[in-house]
Amino acid sequence: MVNKEIEKTDPLSSLKEFTAARIAIGRTGTSIPIKQSLEFKLAHAHARDAVYSVLDTDGLLNSMQPFNLPILHLHSKALTRHKYLKRPDLGRQLNEESAELLKDYSTNADIAFIIVDGLSATAVNENTYPLLEVLIPQLNRAGLKIAPICLVEQGRVAIGDHIGHLLNAKLTVLLIGERPGLSAADSMGAYFTYMPKPGLTDESRNCISNIRPQGLTHKPAAEKIFYLINEALKRKLSGVALKDNAGLLE
């Protein structure tokens, strides 16, 4: 009864419908209620599980067959999850076998999609197909050439620069599992880089974050990505100079 009264009088309670963050959770004595304490521990367990989740390569391959695009399975220089977490630099580099494979796929494509497990393969497994199901038909209707889709295990964001360069693509769209938080372990990010090449830094990229059913849902995310792709190709740039002004257009 006390907790219900606290929730009613807490000025933050009205914000709970807009966020999954832990606000207005009440208290029991000097601590938080048992229910909220257990929910916190469960969310922490989900976040840890997401970090160690595995890219569902077979499921992704099967789901993306309708796109009629070649799909390449690549790997970074981090051979294990333990090495990936301890050595971020290895996750930014392709291993030799993957680099050799890509030499046969210099495409001159407009766009290369690169799907990377990152810090939550769960996010990629759950959100990649619903997003691309909306986005790829839009790109096809626009007459844009799409390179082979690349699935990358144990990868970081910068690995897309090496892949895009070897594919000779004008623009990379890298989909990656974001660092799981205690309110979202299934969040995927999309990073854009115009004229990718090894050695680029973060100011050369644009990012759309929190792509998931309880965040930025797939259809609005696809529309935003489509807008930024067109702007990047038209203006021949990405990064800090490329702004998302879609909502300002009449």
Side-chain angles (χ1 to χ4, degrees):
M1 190 68 175
V2 173
N3 290 334
K4 289 183 179 179
E5 290 300 321
I6 290 173
E7 185 171 345
K8 287 180 182 178
T9 59
D10 193 319
L12 297 178
S13 294
S14 62
L15 300 178
K16 294 178 74 172
E17 65 177 292
F18 303 108
T19 177
R22 285 173 172 75
I23 59 175
I25 61 176
R27 61 181 178 139
T28 300
T30 58
S31 185
I32 64 174
I34 291 176
K35 180 177 183 291
Q36 283 72 24
S37 177
L38 292 175
E39 287 175 347
F40 178 89
K41 292 176 181 178
L42 179 62
H44 184 259
H46 285 320
R48 288 177 60 88
D49 287 345
V51 169
Y52 287 96
S53 58
V54 177
L55 199 66
D56 180 12
T57 53
D58 289 339
L60 289 168
L61 285 168
N62 289 332
S63 68
M64 292 190 291
Q65 291 302 317
F67 300 145
N68 293 318
L69 290 168
I71 302 174
L72 307 178
H73 187 187
L74 310 176
H75 208 291
S76 76
K77 287 186 177 180
L79 299 181
T80 65
R81 198 60 175 173
H82 178 76
K83 184 66 73 175
Y84 172 84
L85 295 172
K86 293 287 187 180
R87 291 284 305 276
D89 58 311
L90 297 181
R92 301 183 185 111
Q93 305 171 56
L94 281 174
N95 65 14
E96 292 181 4
E97 294 82 0
S98 297
E100 284 296 320
L101 174 63
L102 286 176
K103 288 180 180 178
D104 296 328
Y105 289 90
S106 182
T107 61
N108 295 311
D110 296 303
I111 303 157
F113 284 104
I114 302 164
I115 300 164
V116 186
D117 48 10
L119 288 168
S120 176
T122 296
V124 174
N125 295 337
E126 294 179 359
N127 295 300
T128 296
Y129 176 73
L131 176 71
L132 294 183
E133 183 184 28
V134 179
L135 180 57
I136 286 182
Q138 291 180 308
L139 299 173
N140 288 334
R141 288 192 293 270
L144 296 174
K145 182 180 178 182
I146 303 174
I149 296 174
C150 296
L151 301 181
V152 186
E153 292 190 76
Q154 313 294 8
R156 303 270 179 173
V157 171
I159 202 168
D161 297 335
H162 193 186
I163 294 171
H165 182 68
L166 290 174
L167 289 173
N168 197 25
K170 294 177 184 175
L171 179 75
T172 56
V173 179
L174 184 138
L175 306 177
I176 189 168
E178 298 182 306
R179 185 185 304 276
L182 292 175
S183 59
D186 60 345
S187 177
M188 184 173 75
Y191 288 81
F192 308 80
T193 308
Y194 182 76
M195 296 305 291
K197 61 182 179 180
L200 294 179
T201 49
D202 287 342
E203 81 278 358
S204 301
R205 303 183 242 280
N206 295 83
C207 176
I208 295 175
S209 186
N210 197 32
I211 300 171
R212 62 190 185 98
Q214 289 75 37
L216 179 61
T217 56
H218 302 119
K219 188 174 186 295
E223 291 171 353
K224 190 176 288 290
I225 291 170
F226 182 70
Y227 168 81
L228 285 174
I229 285 174
N230 281 291
E231 287 295 295
L233 293 174
K234 179 173 68 177
R235 300 175 60 189
K236 296 181 170 53
L237 54 82
S238 62
V240 295
L242 181 62
K243 307 300 182 185
D244 181 3
N245 294 323
L248 302 178
L249 299 178
E250 297 184 355

